[in-house]
Amino acid sequence: MPTEVALLESRTLRGEQMGRVDVLDKVKSLVMLPDGIHVRTEDVARYFEVSTGAVRRLTDRHQEEFTENGMRVLRGADLRSFHSDMMSLWTGDGVESYPQAATQLRLYTRRTVLNIAMLLRDSDIARCVRTYLLDAEESLRTQYASLDHRVTRIESCLTGVGSALQELGPVLVRMSERLDSLDRKVEMTHQVVGAMSLRLTDVQQDVGRLDGRMDAFAGQLKDLRRRNGQRGQR
């Protein structure tokens, strides 16, 4: 885990933290200009509770780094255009209440302010921001380690599952063969049952014909008895 000193001394480490601008408002509210994007030197000094001179000296020493992270200095036409835009957005007591720089204006973005927090030594607010960054990184490292451990456990389990599946393969093959054999036997049984059903249908028809013949024979026998009775009476 990087230390606060390492963060103060290493531009590379600071660059790795540039996406964490959310920590600024978690430590203290940062008041932005009406565009919601920029702050002035006075606003930065007020946020870190230091003098504007301390902020200017720091930005002069690390001008290239701060410029990469959004700091810019407006003069002439650019400054007049910016003031015009800000006055159109200003929602204070009146247009006159918007503070305007006379000859130049140094602007900072949230990334620049975070950059300053990682370099400003004589500010309790800046130290809180650095502590928050380092604690958050340690928390992320812990979560990553926990996740890595869980992934390792899952991989171990999957290795065991792979071995079990390899051993289960031959068993599944034998079961498949037995099921195929059972399917064939069931099919043969269906064929036998079908043949028996047809045979029973034939037997039923034969029985029906036999019943018809028996009824005819019984009728003939009854007629014969009736005729014989009539003869005896004569």
Side-chain angles (χ1 to χ4, degrees):
M1 173 181 173
T3 63
E4 183 178 0
V5 174
L7 198 61
L8 288 165
E9 299 297 335
S10 174
R11 182 171 175 177
T12 300
L13 289 178
R14 292 194 295 272
E16 293 174 356
Q17 302 295 330
M18 278 297 109
R20 301 297 313 280
V21 295
D22 57 298
V23 304
L24 295 172
D25 289 322
K26 292 180 179 179
V27 174
K28 182 181 177 182
S29 178
L30 177 63
V31 180
M32 311 296 293
L33 287 176
D35 64 353
I37 299 174
H38 299 97
V39 292
R40 302 162 304 152
T41 304
E42 294 82 354
D43 302 318
V44 176
R46 188 177 301 110
Y47 177 83
F48 289 112
E49 299 176 2
V50 296
S51 67
T52 56
V55 176
R56 290 194 182 94
R57 286 192 296 273
L58 184 67
T59 54
D60 287 340
R61 285 198 303 270
H62 301 275
Q63 185 174 0
E64 180 183 353
E65 182 176 348
F66 290 146
T67 300
E68 286 183 2
N69 288 304
M71 186 186 77
R72 57 183 179 139
V73 179
L74 300 182
R75 299 181 180 86
D78 291 336
L79 179 59
R80 290 191 295 272
S81 175
F82 182 81
H83 280 322
S84 175
D85 292 339
M86 291 303 100
M87 284 189 293
S88 66
L89 296 171
W90 189 252
T91 57
D93 296 333
V95 174
E96 293 78 13
S97 65
Y98 171 72
Q100 299 187 38
T103 58
Q104 67 176 32
L105 178 64
R106 190 171 299 194
L107 294 175
Y108 310 80
T109 63
R110 286 181 177 271
R111 286 174 62 92
T112 321
V113 176
L114 181 61
N115 201 162
I116 292 172
M118 289 186 279
L119 283 166
L120 190 60
R121 297 175 182 268
D122 300 326
S123 167
D124 291 337
I125 301 300
R127 279 191 288 271
C128 287
V129 173
R130 291 194 292 270
T131 299
Y132 199 103
L133 284 173
L134 296 173
D135 289 346
E137 182 168 340
E138 178 61 21
S139 176
L140 289 174
R141 288 177 184 270
T142 301
Q143 293 176 16
Y144 175 79
S146 176
L147 178 61
D148 183 64
H149 178 66
R150 282 183 286 176
V151 170
T152 301
R153 289 180 58 188
I154 292 173
E155 289 175 346
S156 300
C157 293
L158 290 176
T159 300
V161 171
S163 301
L165 289 176
Q166 290 179 350
E167 296 175 358
L168 189 60
V171 176
L172 293 175
V173 171
R174 290 194 295 270
M175 290 181 63
S176 178
E177 292 174 349
R178 293 178 63 184
L179 288 174
D180 289 341
S181 176
L182 183 60
D183 285 341
R184 289 193 293 271
K185 290 179 180 179
V186 170
E187 181 63 27
M188 291 177 62
T189 301
H190 286 166
Q191 293 176 0
V192 171
V193 170
M196 290 177 65
S197 178
L198 292 174
R199 181 56 181 161
L200 288 173
T201 300
D202 294 339
V203 171
Q204 185 178 10
Q205 293 174 353
D206 291 341
V207 170
R209 287 193 294 269
L210 181 60
D211 286 342
R213 290 176 182 177
M214 291 295 292
D215 290 340
F217 179 72
Q220 292 174 0
L221 182 60
K222 186 175 181 180
D223 291 340
L224 180 60
R225 286 177 180 175
R226 187 173 58 253
R227 284 196 297 270
N228 288 337
Q230 290 174 356
R231 290 175 184 175
Q233 291 176 359
R234 293 176 184 173

